[in-house]
Amino acid sequence: MIVTDSEQRISDICAEWREDGLTVGFVPTMGAFHRGHLSLVETAAVASDRVVVSIFINPTQFGAGEDLDKYPSTLEEDCASAESAGASAVFIPQTDAIYPAGFSTGVAVSGITQGLCGAVRPGHFDGVTTICAVLFGIVRPDLAVFGMKDAQQLAAIRRMVSDLRMGIEIVAAPIVREPDGLAMSSRNRYLSAEEREQSSLISRGLEAALSLFRAGERDCEVLRNAFLMTLKDASVLRAQYVETVDPDTMLRVETIDDRVLLAVAVFAGKTRLIDNILIKSEV
Ligand code: AMP
């Protein structure tokens, strides 16, 4: 497996693969891998001939007071596990190579990025779409895999790729969870024992809402309240938002017709966790 910080090298390697008729799958990440990340690599490896993983802690998607300075980095382990999951190359660029002096362009997706995380993390999604556009330009993948855990990010990337005719297939990978239901996240390592224990209520709350839907409930307010009720006795959890939205547009839905995304952000102590569930009829 190739490991490089050189934009030129990764770009050349991908060009050679394409010339050889091989398809290139891409998984952009910020590193500190858990099984969620590795599932994305595995999905890309099934769907394409070569897989490039990028590890880049993108400063422009962090707001003031967020965890940029303490964001975990486990590069050696990440490279080993990426290789086992089927990666052909890991690209680990330096920040000043990605954003050289004079870098002046941003890609912003409106609408989709306004609510949910966009409302409480101003500028976050502009940082995400811009870095993805830059990395897509370097790697020029045939497809890119994103996790459904970051559902709003996934919707924004899909919109960007479609609007800008980037010609990249965007593949969504399901949320990988701990045995007690907590969605895997690089930030879970910040949790104290008590926070970690109570955090399992987040997925339980989402499941409670799904059960109500399956029992015939269609009023989204009732589903949002079911989530909040599950958290009510959790002393270290505080919901930041609980929203029911259309999974493509991220616009609020009040009555479920077909399907709705119940998306939440919850503080466990100082750590902000996000999770969601797609609520729809069983097929
Ligand atoms: P990050 O390193 O947090 O920027 O995440 C990189 C990619 O991994 C994104 O597409 C995330 O949606 C995805 N991801 C993170 N956590 C999970 C998870 N628990 N299950 C599936 N995908 C995930």
Side-chain angles (χ1 to χ4, degrees):
M1 187 184 72
I2 296 148
V3 178
T4 182
D5 68 352
S6 162
E7 176 175 328
Q8 190 63 55
R9 176 135 193 259
I10 198 73
S11 185
D12 288 349
I13 290 163
C14 292
E16 277 169 33
W17 286 334
R18 276 192 304 275
E19 272 163 35
D20 290 344
L22 301 171
T23 56
V24 178
F26 180 43
V27 181
T29 78
M30 298 203 299
F33 289 170
H34 48 67
R35 280 195 295 103
H37 293 108
L38 301 176
S39 77
L40 270 48
V41 180
E42 285 159 6
T43 299
V46 169
S48 48
D49 299 313
R50 294 288 182 271
V51 177
V52 177
V53 177
S54 66
I55 300 176
F56 180 62
I57 301 174
N58 177 35
T60 67
Q61 68 189 68
F62 288 80
E66 292 188 350
D67 57 346
L68 173 63
D69 295 339
K70 62 167 185 159
Y71 198 84
S73 174
T74 55
L75 288 177
E76 253 176 59
E77 295 97 309
D78 289 357
C79 288
S81 53
E83 184 168 23
S84 316
S88 311
V90 179
F91 175 45
I92 313 176
Q94 302 293 327
T95 304
D96 52 3
I98 290 290
Y99 299 115
F103 186 100
S104 316
T105 302
V107 180
V109 174
S110 60
I112 287 171
T113 62
Q114 251 159 37
L116 309 173
C117 291
V120 288
R121 300 184 71 189
H124 167 69
F125 286 112
D126 293 355
V128 169
T129 43
T130 302
I131 186 60
C132 285
V134 169
L135 293 169
F136 288 168
I138 295 169
V139 174
R140 298 185 172 272
D142 297 281
L143 69 87
V145 187
F146 288 85
M148 290 200 249
K149 165 142 185 295
D150 299 272
Q152 191 174 16
Q153 165 173 289
L154 172 67
I157 298 288
R158 278 196 197 286
R159 191 75 242 175
M160 172 185 78
V161 165
S162 164
D163 287 351
L164 299 183
R165 278 72 165 181
M166 289 177 158
I168 300 167
E169 183 190 345
I170 301 300
V171 176
I175 301 174
V176 177
R177 299 181 177 281
E178 299 287 356
D180 68 354
L182 176 64
M184 290 197 176
S185 164
S186 307
R187 292 183 167 109
N188 289 351
R189 69 191 73 201
Y190 300 153
L191 300 172
S192 70
E194 188 183 27
E195 290 161 359
R196 173 64 191 81
E197 200 189 323
Q198 293 189 13
S199 296
S200 67
L201 291 171
I202 300 169
S203 63
R204 225 183 290 163
L206 297 175
E207 289 291 340
L210 177 64
S211 299
L212 281 178
F213 171 81
R214 297 234 158 113
E217 184 59 64
R218 292 295 180 268
D219 182 345
C220 290
E221 192 179 359
V222 176
L223 302 189
R224 295 192 300 266
N225 284 337
F227 176 81
L228 286 168
M229 280 304 287
T230 311
L231 262 56
K232 115 178 130 27
D233 296 325
S235 54
V236 298
L237 301 186
R238 180 176 63 79
Q240 184 183 39
Y241 68 70
V242 181
E243 283 288 351
T244 41
V245 296
D246 177 284
D248 299 321
T249 63
M250 297 287 138
L251 292 175
R252 192 169 227 219
V253 173
E254 285 298 355
T255 306
I256 311 177
D257 214 7
D258 174 25
R259 53 188 199 141
V260 74
L261 185 82
L262 174 58
V264 303
V266 174
F267 277 101
K270 289 196 170 111
T271 304
R272 185 174 173 279
L273 303 172
I274 57 169
D275 201 348
N276 66 75
I277 194 166
L278 187 62
I279 293 184
K280 60 175 180 151
S281 308
E282 279 167 303
V283 279

